[in-house]
Amino acid sequence: MRQYIFDFFTKGHQRSIEAKKNIVASFAIKSLSIAYNLILVPLTINYVNPTKYGIWLTLSSIIMWFGFFDIGFGNGLRNKFAEAKATGNLERARIYISTTYVVLILIFSAIWVLLFAVNFFIDWSHILNAPKEMARELSTLALVVFGIFCMQIVLKIINTVLTADQKPAKSALLDMLGQLMSLLIIVILIKTTQGSLLYLGLAMGIGPILVLITSSLFFYRKRYKPYAPSLSYVRFNYAKDMMPLGSKFFIIQISILVTFQTSNIIIAQVCGGESVAIYNIAFKYFSISYFLFGIVISPFWSAFTDAYTQNDYLWMKKVLKTLEVIAFFFVILIIILLIFSHFVYTLWIGRIFEIKPSISVLVAIYFIAQIYHGLYTPLLNGIGKIKLQFYVISFLAILIIPISLILGRKFGLEGIITATIIANLVIALYAPRQVHLLINKKAKGIWNK
């Protein structure tokens, strides 16, 4: 057994070895992240209350939207850094990193200043369907939490570098340490303060920022010293190299945001804040499956970039077959989670909310569809063949809100979830076909762009 384990981690293609090491390490790290999320839900509900918890979830979803306003520089850097490293061009890799830092600082500083200017004119209580007396508190909360979030976006470039270097486990470790620090702060708040959304927002943001600052200083002085950001390496013309691919990623991200992340807003408006909490509890529970699947699939985005740069189609075919088998077992996991869902809800949050079986079934179907198309999109993203994805996701973004509103008003929460399932199934129709055409060198026209 010892020899088998040794061979598993030391034999095979170097990309596969790196992927296996990162998958195993990420499983260990993200198991703690899953535990964090399971503990965090009842803690935050008890610290504030179910209605305020739903308001927090809706506001945090809105703020997360602005993470997509990097105009695709995050994903553009991920691909360009991997390409530069694969070809041994270390100076170019450092230029990409340095330029990305400066560009994102400029973008998010401007966005925060803009929000500061207009925030006093925004009625957050209306947007979040919250009591009028909370308007002032929510206005302050939005400004503070958004400022923290802007800082996180810039600091998370180190996560992008680690992932592009096929070290996603280290990126996951940084996320987990930030979560643990936030959890510790929330526990202290529960012991020392009355329930406050502002304190909750600060706790959720400060922990990750401290970890990201510390880790950035560490990595850029050690392993990534040759790539350390420097003003002398900023080249705005290199931003144009990342823009063609990055801008497509940006539109895709915005479209995905509209397609899959507007649910909380629509639920809050159509069904109320408590339904937002119900939806998110079911979503967090079943997201364990996609969370774990993401651990498996995450190392392969940059690995596919490396393989495509070196025309190693044989390796891509072999890996894809293995991933298809793994995805099947994750579907089985979702079915098991569904069978035990009622028991877990009761054990996890007690009887604060009644989560109907129909909600659990629909959320389970949503994640099965997510895993199916999520199996193929990392390859498309890694090799930059995303034009068809660009068109499909953009089309869905136009239709999803009216469909969600129509189904939501007719069928309630179940109707809104059904709308997101339909969107997932549309993506699942094209992604597998395009991938198989590409790896067999038969893709033509839009399938090869």
Side-chain angles (χ1 to χ4, degrees):
M1 177 62 73
R2 184 179 300 176
Q3 185 61 41
Y4 173 79
I5 294 173
F6 178 79
D7 290 344
F8 178 79
F9 287 108
T10 58
K11 292 186 177 180
H13 196 285
Q14 185 61 35
R15 291 189 212 98
S16 300
I17 293 171
E18 286 291 330
K20 286 185 281 189
K21 288 179 179 178
N22 276 279
I23 288 168
V24 173
S26 294
F27 263 112
I29 294 165
K30 292 202 173 184
S31 293
L32 293 175
S33 292
I34 291 172
Y36 158 82
N37 280 294
L38 293 175
I39 294 169
L40 184 66
V41 171
L43 275 180
T44 50
I45 291 174
N46 290 324
Y47 177 58
V48 284
N49 59 51
T51 300
K52 285 188 175 182
Y53 178 66
I55 292 169
W56 163 252
L57 289 172
T58 307
L59 177 62
S60 58
S61 295
I62 294 172
I63 291 173
M64 284 178 64
W65 294 354
F66 289 90
F68 296 98
F69 280 86
D70 66 352
I71 320 181
F73 273 96
N75 287 325
L77 172 64
R78 181 172 179 173
N79 280 27
K80 289 297 182 180
F81 179 85
E83 290 174 8
K85 194 167 182 294
T87 56
N89 196 331
L90 304 188
E91 182 178 0
R92 181 177 288 267
R94 188 175 188 183
I95 290 172
Y96 283 133
I97 290 173
S98 301
T99 303
T100 301
Y101 269 101
V102 172
V103 169
L104 291 188
I105 288 172
L106 293 173
I107 289 172
F108 281 94
S109 295
I111 291 175
W112 189 85
V113 169
L114 178 62
L115 178 67
F116 182 83
V118 303
N119 188 54
F120 296 104
F121 303 100
I122 299 174
D123 186 355
W124 287 105
S125 63
H126 176 72
I127 293 172
L128 302 174
N129 199 17
K132 282 287 184 183
E133 57 268 22
M134 293 184 65
R136 188 178 183 84
E137 178 187 5
L138 292 175
S139 179
T140 304
L141 176 66
L143 193 61
V144 171
V145 174
F146 186 74
I148 292 173
F149 181 76
C150 288
M151 293 176 64
Q152 286 186 14
I153 290 295
V154 175
L155 292 170
K156 276 197 168 188
I157 293 174
I158 187 61
N159 294 67
T160 303
V161 172
L162 288 167
T163 306
D165 194 31
Q166 300 179 51
K167 299 288 187 296
K170 291 182 179 179
S171 176
L173 177 62
L174 300 187
D175 291 338
M176 186 269 291
L177 292 174
Q179 291 170 341
L180 289 180
M181 187 166 289
S182 293
L183 185 63
L184 176 62
I185 296 171
I186 290 172
V187 171
I188 294 171
L189 289 175
I190 291 172
K191 300 287 186 181
T192 58
T193 67
Q194 295 295 318
S196 166
L197 282 175
L198 181 58
Y199 290 163
L200 177 63
L202 288 169
M204 298 293 284
I206 290 174
I209 281 179
L210 294 175
V211 171
L212 289 168
I213 291 173
T214 304
S215 59
S216 295
L217 293 172
F218 173 79
F219 281 115
Y220 287 130
R221 289 179 179 179
K222 299 292 184 180
R223 178 180 178 87
Y224 296 115
K225 190 173 183 179
Y227 312 110
S230 169
L231 287 174
S232 61
Y233 279 85
V234 175
R235 305 284 190 277
F236 287 109
N237 59 314
Y238 274 71
K240 296 177 183 177
D241 290 348
M242 292 183 278
M243 280 301 294
L245 183 62
S247 60
K248 289 179 184 175
F249 275 125
F250 171 63
I251 300 299
I252 289 171
Q253 286 174 316
I254 292 294
S255 300
I256 289 173
L257 164 70
V258 173
T259 305
F260 298 113
Q261 298 300 319
T262 54
S263 298
N264 283 334
I265 298 292
I266 296 171
I267 292 168
Q269 293 295 324
V270 175
C271 308
E274 187 170 310
S275 291
V276 176
I278 289 171
Y279 168 69
N280 276 271
I281 289 166
F283 192 91
K284 284 180 184 293
Y285 172 63
F286 284 98
S287 69
I288 292 171
S289 60
Y290 196 73
F291 195 67
L292 295 174
F293 181 70
I295 295 172
V296 175
I297 205 73
S298 178
F300 291 101
W301 176 324
S302 296
F304 284 134
T305 304
D306 183 85
Y308 183 71
T309 302
Q310 300 183 31
N311 293 311
D312 194 347
Y313 285 87
L314 184 62
W315 180 85
M316 288 193 284
K317 289 179 184 180
K318 183 178 178 181
V319 167
L320 191 62
K321 287 181 180 179
T322 302
L323 292 176
E324 287 172 341
V325 174
I326 292 171
F328 172 77
F329 286 103
F330 274 97
V331 172
I332 300 300
L333 172 61
I334 292 174
I335 294 171
I336 294 171
L337 290 173
L338 178 61
I339 293 170
F340 291 97
S341 59
H342 179 72
F343 170 76
V344 175
Y345 294 149
T346 304
L347 186 66
W348 181 20
I349 59 169
R351 300 187 181 278
I352 300 174
F353 297 110
E354 180 187 353
I355 302 176
K356 295 185 291 185
S358 58
I359 301 296
S360 295
V361 170
L362 288 170
V363 175
I365 294 171
Y366 170 89
F367 278 105
I368 289 173
Q370 278 273 67
I371 284 175
Y372 182 70
H373 73 71
L375 168 65
Y376 300 100
T377 48
L379 188 147
L380 297 173
N381 294 341
I383 67 177
K385 304 293 186 180
I386 59 172
K387 194 166 187 177
L388 181 58
Q389 183 182 169
F390 172 84
Y391 288 136
V392 172
I393 297 294
S394 300
F395 175 73
L396 290 174
I398 296 170
L399 294 181
I400 190 65
I401 292 179
I403 292 174
S404 295
L405 288 171
I406 291 169
L407 293 180
R409 287 166 181 161
K410 188 172 181 62
F411 301 107
L413 180 55
E414 288 92 335
I416 297 170
I417 301 171
T418 300
T420 61
I421 292 173
I422 292 170
N424 267 310
L425 293 176
V426 171
I427 300 171
L429 290 175
Y430 82 87
R433 175 169 172 75
Q434 185 178 13
V435 165
H436 285 290
L437 287 172
L438 285 166
I439 63 175
N440 289 293
K441 299 183 180 180
K442 294 181 179 179
K444 296 179 181 179
I446 189 70
W447 300 96
N448 194 37
K449 295 181 179 180

